[in-house]
Amino acid sequence: QVCNKVLFAAADCTGHGVPGAMVSVVCNNALNRSVREYSLSDPGEILDKTREIVIQEFDKSEEVVNDGMDIALCCLEGNVLSYAGANNPLWVIRDGEILETKANKQPIGKFDNLAPYTTHKIELKKNDSIYIFSDGYPDQFGGVKGKKYKSANFKKLLLSIQKHAMIEQLEMLDKEFENWKGTTEQIDDVCVIGVRI
């Protein structure tokens, strides 16, 4: 929390095992430095600075690091939500509709044609629900045919549970995920954050 601003994010680092863990540590430290040391609160600026720090850290490594972080970063101040994303979008559900704000299609890390991250501002209304997430839920294999759950199904699911309290939504998301996955192995970390205004 910065003054009267609340920052929250859903982040996911690529890579597995020890190298993946190291990337997570580097990215997390860079995010914290961007906010605390550089006093940034604009999500796009935070992601720009985070990427700069991450690339500097990666350049110190003797090995080539091609991993990075996907993230949806939000700053809530009053009823104004600022958002910037690296591959991870923002969904706001209002009056039975999903308002999607797309992320920049570039990770936090090394990438050809680096561009600044875009900050989007949205005026929220009472009863709006905000969702940010990693790709673990929609990418999970399962169902009768062993296919990916997919974004379209995830949208339908979120729309179908809107009348429930957030704590109940958590249970319903968990149950649906387990039902879909069945005996299939879980392929990725799953992070879904929901906030109701």
Side-chain angles (χ1 to χ4, degrees):
Q1 193 158 344
V2 188
C3 306
N4 55 344
K5 298 175 183 177
V6 179
L7 291 163
F8 57 100
D12 186 24
C13 292
T14 58
H16 295 280
V18 173
M22 292 308 295
V23 170
S24 296
V25 169
V26 168
C27 291
N28 187 46
N29 287 345
L31 255 182
N32 285 327
R33 279 184 65 194
S34 299
V35 175
R36 295 187 182 133
E37 203 176 302
Y38 293 91
S39 304
L40 299 174
S41 62
D42 176 88
E45 290 175 12
I46 291 171
L47 294 191
D48 288 340
K49 179 54 77 176
T50 299
R51 176 173 61 193
E52 189 186 306
I53 296 167
V54 164
I55 290 172
Q56 281 171 2
E57 289 301 313
F58 284 176
D59 284 344
K60 291 177 190 171
S61 170
E62 289 169 17
E63 320 234 328
V64 177
V65 184
N66 289 321
D67 287 310
M69 172 172 67
D70 294 340
I71 184 170
L73 176 63
C74 294
C75 176
L76 186 59
E77 185 177 15
N79 70 326
V80 177
L81 181 76
S82 303
Y83 152 84
N87 291 326
N88 288 358
L90 163 73
W91 292 352
V92 175
I93 298 185
R94 175 182 296 164
D95 301 329
E97 252 187 283
I98 291 187
L99 312 172
E100 178 171 20
T101 306
K102 289 187 169 18
N104 289 91
K105 286 286 166 204
Q106 50 181 8
I108 302 289
K110 292 185 175 177
F111 187 72
D112 296 336
N113 307 322
L114 296 179
Y117 289 96
T118 311
T119 297
H120 303 266
K121 286 191 186 293
I122 298 160
E123 218 166 297
L124 297 172
K125 296 182 176 175
K126 192 162 170 48
N127 295 322
D128 280 357
S129 296
I130 303 159
Y131 297 92
I132 53 175
F133 45 90
S134 68
D135 60 3
Y137 202 110
D139 279 358
Q140 178 60 42
F141 290 97
V144 183
K145 296 178 181 168
K147 295 196 167 172
K148 281 188 180 183
Y149 192 74
K150 294 210 171 148
S151 231
N153 286 326
F154 191 36
K155 282 180 176 174
K156 280 183 201 158
L157 173 62
L158 289 175
L159 285 168
S160 75
I161 61 176
Q162 283 310 294
K163 64 177 186 291
H164 297 276
M166 281 299 182
I167 193 74
E168 291 168 351
Q169 288 189 26
L170 171 64
E171 287 167 19
M172 294 166 103
L173 285 170
D174 191 38
K175 192 174 173 188
E176 171 72 3
F177 185 81
E178 290 302 322
N179 286 345
W180 177 261
K181 182 167 74 74
T183 55
T184 315
E185 196 180 332
Q186 183 173 330
I187 58 154
D188 202 356
D189 298 331
V190 172
C191 176
V192 180
I193 298 172
V195 178
R196 181 165 282 157
I197 301 302

